[in-house]
Amino acid sequence: MYLTWIWLGITIFAIFAELTTAALVSVWFIGGGLVATILSLIPGIGWYWQLTAFFVVSALMMVFLRPIVKKVLDKNSEGKTNLDNIIGQKVRMLSTADFDKLGSAKINDVVWNIKSADDSVLNEGDIVEIVEISGNKLIAKK
């Protein structure tokens, strides 16, 4: 009977761990824990069968469900980061950028260094379009 409480504890811990992370770390162990808990309630089934069932069910869930869940999660997120959203924005230059020095522009309350995409001069006050991100610099064109 004490094994029932151990398996139940492992299952509850896995549920708690999964709820506090979004990385699909322990969802596989929830199924294994539930099966092991059910097996522990059946008289005559030894701890080794419960342990084996826990690992087999957890492994099967990981192998077969992970690709499906990953595909669903990837489908819901377009894969873009906040930096990707900067590309294509039009911004006003705060300082001039030429072939010798970087200019600057403010995007979402962050001042970025700006470099011209074609080595042309981007004057203070010009409206430019961000075409690329290179390290910590934005590449822009008029």
Side-chain angles (χ1 to χ4, degrees), residues 36-75:
T37 302
I38 292 167
L39 288 178
S40 71
L41 294 171
I42 301 172
I45 295 189
W47 64 270
Y48 42 88
W49 290 113
Q50 296 168 31
L51 187 64
T52 302
F54 173 77
F55 283 118
V56 168
V57 170
S58 296
L60 288 174
M61 286 184 67
M62 189 180 304
V63 168
F64 291 110
L65 290 180
R66 182 161 172 53
I68 295 168
V69 172
K70 188 165 174 33
K71 187 183 290 186
V72 168
L73 291 177
D74 287 346
K75 186 178 178 182

Side-chain angles (χ1 to χ4, degrees), residues 83 86-87 102 112-116 130-140:
L83 289 179
I86 291 175
I87 296 174
L102 298 172
W112 288 84
N113 290 324
I114 304 274
K115 179 181 176 191
S116 173
I130 308 303
V131 294
E132 185 182 343
I133 299 172
S134 175
N136 63 350
K137 295 180 291 292
L138 301 178
I139 312 300

Side-chain angles (χ1 to χ4, degrees), residues 90-95 104-106 123-128:
K90 293 183 176 24
V91 296
R92 184 177 307 277
M93 293 293 294
L94 296 176
S95 63
S104 62
K106 190 181 236 184
N123 293 311
E124 180 179 338
D126 284 352
I127 303 295
V128 297

